[in-house]
Amino acid sequence: MVSAASPSPADGRRVALLTLGCARNEVDSEELAARLHADGWQVTTDGERADVVVVNTCGFVEKAKQDSIQTLLAAADTGATVVAAGCMAERYGRELADSLPEARAVLSFDDYPDIAARLDAVLVGETVPAHTPRDRRELLPLTPVARRASAVSLPGHGTPASPPGHGTPTRVAPQTDEHTPAHLRPVLRHRLDTGPVASLKLASGCDRRCAFCAIPAFRGAFVSRTPDELLAEAEWLAGTGVRELVLVSENSTSYGKDLGDPRALEKLLPQLAAIDGIVRVRASYLQPAETRPGLVEAIATTPGVAAYFDLSFQHSSEPVLRRMRRFGSTDRFLELLAGARALAPEAGARSNFIVGFPGETRADVDELVRFLTEARLDAIGVFDYSDEDGTEAAGLPGKVSAATVRRRYDKLVALADELCSQRAEERLGSTVEVLVDSVDDGVVEGRAAHQAPEVDGSTTLVAPPGGGVDVAALRPGDLVRATVTGTEGVDLVAVPDEMISAAPGAAR
């Protein structure tokens, strides 16, 4: 497997990895980067002068698919050899290859273990046949505990590479068992970012059957990674300078169910937080119906774990949720949030919502407005419903007209902006722990515990009026305690009071 100690490839073939979509795709790209790096490719995220540009596409909703197509076309316009990979490529396979000849190859997840061989073939002009898409849930046993024994490619799980000549890593993985220390376990990952935050993939796939979602069909059934694998990768990431771990998956609250331990995430969180160099662990992608009291307590009270609840509510009207094949209601969701805040009053919370789902009425929208108004969420994402290929919702009756969907969407977006700004203002005068993300021309940007990377707001650190922490000396990866003095929408302005943990190796 590839580790931080792997030698740099000599000058030769150069591949650019362009990643679209979610943090899970980012982890998948870093696995591909490790395989390619081990086979002698120079790996970059800059398409300039690359021999091959691999676009790790997103296939979640229509807008994401259009962004993926535009990125593929733009890369082809530069004259580069372009290859499509990722969710959209997996979901459409041969159909995408036929409709987009600009892509020299369209790869499946099954091609990932042999990615170097596939790109070698493309470079010499060989045709790499596109796959016929299939429901990847059918590739794994129905019983969750039997899935780990299946030889199915699971992106982001660090499965071994192919035989010699097809992308074999430069270092052979040692034999390991349950007694092997985490730091000696193999890691198949090559970082494409040098920032202080990295995603750690808990699992892949999903067993839920939400009516609007196509992800399980092309990502497959739910499979957890073992705690030992995760701890090994987390220690390796810490060794590369990572200070915050963001735990990602399609459904983090299912973690461990196929390992025989539904409380596995509760046990894993303090272990990750105890890793030397890691100052914050953040769980994401929580399903409300599966968020048990023990997990709420672990997230809200474990030192080093952000009291942050990324809850996938999607709606709050019970009739709409039932048609979505989901569970809950306004009152149950408010009780969940109240339970978290009883343990951690300053806990952060965010969620996404769909408006215009088939059968949604004005009364349903009013119920959603009631929930949003009372929930005090820090960040709210609003999506306008659209039919997605292969989903149950695409065939449901009671379609809401496009004009009505747009009107409801605009209303909810405006309300969300107002409510999130009000929630930020509630934090005025409070103390927050800010992890510095960037320092650019003297502007120091970071995030408090209730602010996840990219999807939520940020915190700007400004110099204290009477001395104290030297803002000019702060570096990415520093963790400081600060007092909130202002807001700009969902963003905060804060004055650092003290250094909690300085980034290792930063010159002062």
Side-chain angles (χ1 to χ4, degrees):
M1 302 295 177
V2 173
S3 75
S6 299
S8 297
D11 289 342
R13 299 159 299 170
R14 183 180 174 92
V15 57
L17 282 165
L18 308 183
T19 307
L20 303 175
C22 65
R24 301 184 296 274
N25 260 13
E26 294 171 5
V27 177
D28 295 351
S29 286
E30 294 195 345
E31 179 190 308
L32 293 176
R35 295 185 186 280
L36 291 163
H37 182 268
D39 199 63
W41 286 78
Q42 295 182 70
V43 183
T44 179
T45 57
D46 181 1
E48 292 294 324
R49 299 181 303 280
D51 295 297
V52 181
V53 176
V54 176
V55 180
N56 189 351
T57 60
C58 179
F60 179 40
V61 293
E62 188 60 35
K63 184 179 185 303
K65 289 183 282 188
Q66 291 302 319
D67 288 345
S68 294
I69 291 171
Q70 291 303 317
T71 301
L72 287 162
L73 292 174
D77 285 345
T78 68
T81 298
V82 178
V83 171
C87 292
M88 185 179 178
E90 176 63 44
R91 186 175 180 183
Y92 294 103
R94 186 174 299 167
E95 179 185 344
L96 179 62
D98 291 343
S99 62
L100 196 72
E102 290 85 354
R104 290 281 298 277
V106 174
L107 302 183
S108 166
F109 294 147
D110 295 326
D111 292 308
Y112 281 22
D114 293 316
I115 184 65
R118 299 293 183 270
L119 297 195
D120 287 341
V122 169
L123 267 187
V124 298
E126 295 181 13
T127 298
V128 178
H131 62 285
T132 299
R134 53 186 171 173
D135 190 332
R136 294 189 70 86
R137 290 171 293 193
E138 298 174 357
L139 303 179
L140 290 164
L142 186 63
T143 305
V145 294
R147 292 171 185 165
R148 290 192 59 80
S150 300
V152 175
S153 181
L154 302 171
H157 282 236
T159 49
S162 299
H166 295 276
T168 300
T170 55
R171 178 165 66 86
V172 177
Q175 294 297 314
T176 63
D177 59 27
E178 68 272 18
H179 304 296
T180 306
H183 69 278
L184 295 180
R185 291 179 177 271
V187 173
L188 185 61
R189 187 162 178 176
H190 179 88
R191 291 200 71 196
L192 297 172
D193 189 319
T194 59
V197 184
S199 296
L200 182 64
K201 195 169 190 177
L202 291 173
S204 66
C206 185
D207 288 342
R208 299 186 70 86
R209 294 294 184 269
C210 300
F212 55 81
C213 185
I215 289 176
F218 59 83
R219 274 289 183 178
F222 186 88
V223 182
S224 300
R225 300 177 67 195
T226 66
D228 287 336
E229 292 172 19
L230 294 168
L231 290 168
E233 188 168 319
E235 288 195 2
W236 180 82
L237 287 167
T240 70
V242 169
R243 303 277 278 163
E244 177 177 329
L245 298 171
V246 181
L247 309 184
V248 300
S249 70
E250 274 76 27
N251 178 6
S252 297
T253 37
S254 281
Y255 178 71
K257 73 174 187 179
D258 52 332
L259 304 176
D261 186 359
R263 297 183 61 238
L265 184 54
E266 299 167 36
K267 299 174 183 177
L268 181 65
L269 287 170
Q271 292 178 283
L272 292 171
I275 292 173
D276 188 31
I278 299 299
V279 296
R280 181 185 287 163
V281 178
R282 183 186 303 278
S284 62
Y285 301 102
L286 307 176
Q287 285 290 341
E290 299 179 22
T291 304
R292 302 167 300 280
L295 180 58
V296 173
E297 182 177 0
I299 293 174
T301 65
T302 302
V305 175
Y308 172 83
F309 293 86
D310 175 19
L311 293 155
S312 177
F313 291 128
Q314 302 300 345
H315 212 284
S316 73
S317 170
E318 199 163 1
V320 174
L321 288 167
R322 293 298 176 272
R323 285 194 295 277
M324 288 179 169
R325 295 197 179 275
R326 297 174 68 85
F327 303 94
S329 65
T330 293
D331 292 335
R332 288 174 64 181
F333 291 163
L334 290 174
E335 288 173 6
L336 175 57
L337 292 169
R341 288 167 177 152
L343 296 168
E346 297 301 320
R350 79 170 323 273
S351 191
N352 294 322
F353 300 88
I354 298 172
V355 294
F357 191 79
E360 183 188 64
T361 65
R362 263 185 274 182
D364 295 324
V365 176
D366 290 342
E367 185 67 359
L368 179 54
V369 168
R370 179 171 82 89
F371 172 69
L372 293 176
T373 304
E374 297 182 28
R376 297 168 57 231
L377 299 175
D378 293 277
I380 299 169
V382 181
F383 293 86
D384 49 338
Y385 172 82
S386 61
D387 288 337
E388 284 297 317
D389 300 335
T391 63
E392 180 185 354
L396 288 178
K399 290 291 193 295
V400 181
S401 72
T404 300
V405 172
R406 172 52 57 176
R407 186 167 62 252
R408 292 176 182 176
Y409 171 82
D410 291 342
K411 173 183 176 179
L412 266 295
V413 167
L415 177 63
D417 289 344
E418 179 183 354
L419 292 173
C420 290
S421 295
Q422 291 175 4
R423 177 61 178 146
E425 290 172 1
E426 291 179 21
R427 296 188 182 276
L428 283 169
S430 67
T431 299
V432 293
E433 293 186 358
V434 179
L435 180 73
V436 177
D437 280 334
S438 65
V439 180
D440 187 12
D441 290 333
V443 178
V444 181
E445 291 284 342
R447 290 170 298 100
H450 69 280
Q451 297 170 322
E454 298 182 8
V455 295
D456 299 339
S458 64
T459 299
T460 302
L461 294 173
V462 297
V469 175
D470 183 3
V471 172
L474 292 175
R475 298 291 180 268
D478 287 343
L479 182 69
V480 300
R481 186 170 288 108
T483 300
V484 179
T485 58
T487 67
E488 298 176 6
V490 298
D491 299 325
L492 304 181
V493 178
V495 172
D497 301 316
E498 63 175 314
M499 177 74 73
I500 300 174
S501 176
R508 304 290 169 180

